[in-house]
Amino acid sequence: MPEIKSRAKLLWGLAAMFFLFFLLAPLVALLTKSLQSGAGWGLSSYTNLLTDKLFLTSLKNSLILSLLTAAVSTVLGFFLAYTLNFTQLPGKFQKALELATLLPLLLPTITYGFAIIYSFGKQGLITSLVGRELFPIYGFNGLLLGYVVYTLPAAFLLINDAAGYIDRKFFVVADLLGDNWRRKFCQTVLRPLSGSLGSAFIICFVLSFTDFGIPASVGGIYPVVASLLYQVMLGSIPDFHTGGAIAGFMLLPAVGSFWLLAWLEKFNFHYDSFSAVYASSQPMYDRLAGFFALLLSGALLSVFAVMFAAPFVRNFPYDMSFTTEFFFSALADRNILFVYKNSLFTATATALGGTALAYTAALLKTRTPLGIKAKHTLDACALAANTVPGMALGLSYLFF
């Protein structure tokens, strides 16, 4: 046991040093930069932003969009998880539904905007099938749709994983006690999932608040904080002090999310053992849930289907004749192949390193005799890494 504890302390020290150097120190450098200005040290960059109408409008828009996105994605993610775990739908149907829901995870967010344009734009595929444009896609509508598609898989993963560990004995007890369907639903489904539902809401909020890819494609003239930060940092005259202050404001939701996620942890259920997940015996409700789940997954697939069809037509949507010349021209372009190779290498290295680090941290927390403070430190690092905006972290590396 002493040898195991000493090795655990060594691994904990290495993990802590990693997060200290690659997460905490860059963020300190970012905040330090935001406190500097031409007049010296101070809060002038922050006070100037608080009087800037464009920033305040962007902040309000981002908060409204993120809250709506989090609410919609959490509800839809819960509905899909409920359909997969608490109905007697065929296994193949459930597997196809899960794959369709997770499809957006495989694509970069900027492609979501292009998919929306190709589907719902004035010349989009769905617009052509319906005969008219269903809604204006540039601005609030396109951003909300893109954010929901972007965050729904994350919400679904969190809730679906937790739903798979609900013990069926609670359902049996509820039946024996004669609970009505409302009480049974609240006590045996919502209550055990309350922590996961709250976590899904927070994660969806942070993801949508900090994303830049979707505003870059369908944001139009609708300002949000992420696009404003991009303009300040990569404009004709970069303003590092103001950019640091904007990134500092973007960290505020991350700080709040960090404490909320830590608080929600106590609502999560932990079972020493559990039996198979309860499946309902009401075919009509099962089919109804399956029908709406099918509609939802079909809507997701329809948005992205055009992304896979457009490269095979000559001039979408005007000339729909089949062609493969775009693929051959891409394969013949050495610059594209060079970038693609770099992307594959970076993604592979990130996946291997990130998985190894996460697996080690999980083992240290759950399978070693480390002290409670050391384990809470690992939790804090994981939550911080999950809530810090990617743009703010990238900017932090630039300053560090």
Side-chain angles (χ1 to χ4, degrees), residues 296-381:
L296 181 57
S297 61
L300 283 175
L301 291 176
S302 67
V303 171
F304 289 99
V306 68
M307 288 295 299
F308 299 98
F312 290 99
V313 298
R314 194 167 299 278
N315 185 17
F316 183 90
Y318 305 102
D319 185 356
M320 301 295 286
S321 57
F322 178 81
T323 181
T324 58
E325 63 177 285
F326 299 113
F327 282 96
F328 287 110
S329 62
L331 292 174
D333 191 326
R334 292 187 176 182
N335 292 327
I336 294 179
L337 293 178
F338 178 74
V339 171
Y340 189 70
K341 182 184 70 173
N342 288 344
S343 298
L344 284 177
F345 174 78
T346 305
T348 303
T350 302
L352 292 175
T355 302
L357 178 62
Y359 182 71
T360 302
L363 283 180
L364 288 173
K365 182 186 176 184
T366 60
R367 296 290 187 269
T368 63
L370 277 177
I372 191 67
K373 291 184 178 180
K375 293 183 178 182
H376 283 335
T377 302
L378 291 175
D379 282 339
C381 292

Side-chain angles (χ1 to χ4, degrees), residues 230-239:
Y230 185 85
Q231 294 169 11
V232 170
M233 291 303 301
L234 296 179
S236 56
I237 304 178
D239 188 343

Side-chain angles (χ1 to χ4, degrees), residues 53-117:
K53 289 185 177 181
L54 178 58
F55 172 75
L56 294 177
T57 301
S58 301
L59 181 61
K60 182 188 73 173
N61 292 343
S62 293
L63 289 173
I64 292 174
L65 274 169
S66 300
L67 288 171
L68 283 174
T69 299
V72 173
S73 294
T74 302
V75 171
L76 293 180
F78 170 75
F79 169 70
L80 290 171
Y82 182 90
T83 302
L84 290 182
N85 289 279
F86 305 114
T87 64
Q88 291 182 333
L89 294 172
K92 291 184 178 180
F93 176 85
Q94 293 186 356
K95 189 64 177 178
L97 184 64
E98 183 178 3
L99 291 175
T101 306
L102 297 179
L103 174 65
L105 286 176
L106 306 177
L107 300 171
T109 57
I110 196 168
T111 61
Y112 296 8
F114 296 144
I116 292 172
I117 294 172

Side-chain angles (χ1 to χ4, degrees), residues 111-242:
T111 61
Y112 296 8
F114 296 144
I116 292 172
I117 294 172
Y118 291 156
S119 300
F120 299 100
K122 292 184 177 179
Q123 302 297 329
L125 181 62
I126 295 178
T127 302
S128 301
L129 294 175
V130 175
R132 65 182 183 86
E133 189 177 17
L134 296 177
F135 54 86
I137 61 171
Y138 294 103
F140 180 86
N141 296 326
L143 288 172
L144 181 60
L145 177 59
Y147 285 151
V148 169
V149 174
Y150 169 44
T151 59
L152 177 57
F156 169 74
L157 278 175
L158 284 170
I159 302 169
N160 187 58
D161 181 67
Y165 288 92
I166 294 180
D167 198 318
R168 67 172 295 175
K169 290 191 294 289
F170 292 101
F171 295 88
V172 176
V173 171
D175 289 335
L176 292 175
L177 292 175
D179 291 341
N180 58 43
W181 70 269
R182 186 180 293 103
R183 178 177 174 81
K184 181 178 177 181
F185 177 75
C186 292
Q187 295 298 322
T188 59
V189 178
L190 283 184
R191 177 66 183 89
L193 292 179
S194 57
S196 298
L197 289 171
S199 299
F201 183 91
I202 293 171
I203 294 301
C204 292
F205 176 86
V206 173
L207 288 175
S208 54
F209 186 82
T210 59
D211 177 68
F212 170 73
I214 296 171
S217 51
V218 294
I221 60 174
Y222 193 84
V224 292
V225 172
S227 58
L228 181 62
L229 175 60
Y230 185 85
Q231 294 169 11
V232 170
M233 291 303 301
L234 296 179
S236 56
I237 304 178
D239 188 343
F240 293 105
H241 305 298
T242 303

